[in-house]
Amino acid sequence: PYDLFRDYTELGFEHVTGRHQFGNDLIKRQQINWHMKRRKIGDLPPAYPNGWFAIFESDELVTNTVKEVYALGLNLVAWRGKSGKAYVSDAYCPHLGAHLGVDGIVRDECIQCPFHGWKFDGCSGKLMRIPNIDSVPAAKLKMWTVHESSGFWPDICEEVENGEWKYRGRSEFRVACHIQEIPENGPDSGHLNVVHSSLVTEGSVPNESWVKWKFLKHVFSATWTPNTENGREHEALMLVNHHLLLFNKIPFVNVSVKVSQIGPGIVQMHFDTIFGKGILVQNVTPLGPMMQRVVHRFYSAPTFIHPLGLLVLQSEGVQFSRDVRIWNRKTFLRIPLLTKEDKQIRTFRRWYSQFYSENSPKLKVRSETDDCKNGRLNF
């Protein structure tokens, strides 16, 4: 299966980190950090909207193993018990604060602290045993509700659930932006034929590509709307039509994609092509206020042969990289200058606001430009 990982430092900083300017990775990292520090962040919404978020993929957690997890600004620990069930709790032992994800041990369904051997039950979080002590105090770990299915996310589709469709691979990105920026890409249909028109063979930076195919380009059209079905108001629906255009006249290779945005961080993209059907599942998980983990996993029908599945993943990786380059360097505008053609963005922002609680604290992230604006300079 295809497997791609791209860190945010690889995208959007190419012009300041070229090896003709900086001879080693340490200096490149320093340059990137400097640009990130002086970035104008903007008037951001709350960092963590309400919803379900994927903290990792099932194959990352083997039976009887422990995994350290950092997501949504939380230090967590996950383990898979003898039964195969997965558990997630806060990371630190209530005794003296040892991190259970560092050398913690799975005992049946329990996790045992590496520091003093305290053992906590996976279902309740209750302290079950302390070595050489008969009287156990009433102590608990904070446990988190976990749902696991299909190795990634529940209810993907029947063909994935029953194993009829094959797993073709995955990609993973780190993106330095607010979580809302990523799903807002859907209703922003105006960017599609600007950012994504160049062939994927021209890479994530088409302007600097050595290979130019001016006689051939991608053409997109899209619609986006909230789901008005009762009980499904947390969903939004999108239809994307794509084809290649030869000499600006001849369309071919038509692909239609039905997209479901489920809550703030889950997207299902259903492909229907002449080669068969498939689904690309995207999960966006905030690691911190301005750092997102985005994972794509692709499943397809047996007729959608593996090389075509790899082509979809590679193409998606290139096109998504083009978006990431922009997200990594843009500012968030709470009141953007929109045209009448941007009405889907207005609708999206009203729809997405349902995932913020009334008492959600606004995100405060400072940068050098904020200090300068307020008459303060720090050296």
Side-chain angles (χ1 to χ4, degrees), residues 27-40:
I27 297 177
K28 288 174 65 174
R29 172 68 72 167
Q30 289 173 342
Q31 288 294 313
I32 291 171
N33 287 340
W34 182 75
H35 279 270
M36 291 294 289
K37 185 178 179 181
R38 72 176 189 147
R39 176 186 184 185
K40 181 180 179 181

Side-chain angles (χ1 to χ4, degrees), residues 149-170:
S149 181
S150 301
F152 194 47
W153 189 256
D155 306 324
I156 293 177
C157 65
E158 183 179 351
E159 293 84 356
V160 174
E161 296 284 348
N162 62 24
E164 180 182 342
W165 285 8
K166 306 300 181 183
Y167 170 62
R168 304 301 185 183
R170 66 187 292 280

Side-chain angles (χ1 to χ4, degrees), residues 114-324:
F115 200 8
H116 297 91
W118 288 31
K119 189 167 70 173
F120 298 89
D121 177 58
C123 293
S124 65
K126 182 181 178 181
L127 175 61
M128 304 298 292
R129 180 179 179 273
I130 300 175
N132 304 316
I133 295 179
D134 295 329
S135 179
V136 177
K140 293 181 67 175
L141 289 175
K142 180 177 180 180
M143 303 299 298
W144 293 85
T145 302
V146 177
H147 194 107
E148 180 182 23
S149 181
S150 301
F152 194 47
W153 189 256
D155 306 324
I156 293 177
C157 65
E158 183 179 351
E159 293 84 356
V160 174
E161 296 284 348
N162 62 24
E164 180 182 342
W165 285 8
K166 306 300 181 183
Y167 170 62
R168 304 301 185 183
R170 66 187 292 280
S171 64
E172 179 178 341
F173 290 80
R174 294 289 189 271
V175 188
C177 71
H178 187 276
I179 183 175
Q180 184 176 313
E181 300 272 23
I182 297 175
E184 190 165 291
N185 217 43
D188 180 17
S189 57
H191 88 284
L192 292 174
N193 292 314
V194 177
V195 177
H196 302 295
S197 63
S198 300
L199 289 188
V200 294
T201 53
E202 296 181 33
S204 56
V205 193
N207 292 338
E208 299 179 7
S209 174
W210 290 89
V211 181
K212 299 290 185 181
W213 298 71
K214 295 185 181 295
F215 60 90
L216 189 62
K217 65 179 181 180
H218 298 280
V219 178
F220 297 88
S221 62
T223 60
W224 183 96
T225 182
N227 191 342
T228 57
E229 182 182 344
N230 187 33
R232 309 301 295 182
E233 294 86 355
H234 62 286
E235 293 183 352
L237 307 173
M238 185 177 180
L239 178 63
V240 180
N241 291 304
H242 162 270
H243 65 265
L244 290 172
L245 192 64
L246 183 63
F247 300 120
N248 283 323
K249 293 181 180 180
I250 307 172
F252 66 104
V253 188
N254 296 297
V255 178
S256 63
V257 184
K258 293 182 179 179
V259 183
S260 297
Q261 171 83 41
I262 306 171
I266 307 163
V267 178
Q268 297 179 359
M269 291 167 266
H270 299 263
F271 287 77
D272 189 0
T273 74
I274 60 173
F275 305 106
K277 296 182 178 181
I279 183 170
L280 186 72
V281 184
Q282 173 186 284
N283 265 264
V284 183
T285 302
L287 303 181
M290 288 291 288
M291 188 60 64
Q292 315 303 320
R293 176 179 185 252
V294 183
V295 175
H296 298 100
R297 288 174 71 98
F298 185 57
Y299 303 83
S300 66
T303 55
F304 203 109
I305 59 175
H306 192 60
L308 290 174
L310 298 182
L311 180 61
V312 168
L313 281 161
Q314 289 172 336
S315 300
E316 175 69 17
V318 170
Q319 296 285 27
F320 194 74
S321 294
R322 295 177 184 178
D323 289 318
V324 175

Side-chain angles (χ1 to χ4, degrees), residues 45-50 178-180 349 352-360:
Y48 308 118
N50 301 314
H178 187 276
I179 183 175
Q180 184 176 313
R349 291 198 170 189
Y352 199 86
S353 66
Q354 70 180 299
F355 304 119
Y356 299 126
S357 302
E358 289 185 8
N359 59 350
S360 294

Side-chain angles (χ1 to χ4, degrees), residues 68 75-77 89-95 97-101 120 141:
E68 177 181 355
N75 290 292
L76 304 171
V77 62
S89 76
D90 281 0
Y92 300 108
C93 178
H95 178 211
H99 197 302
L100 299 173
F120 298 89
L141 289 175

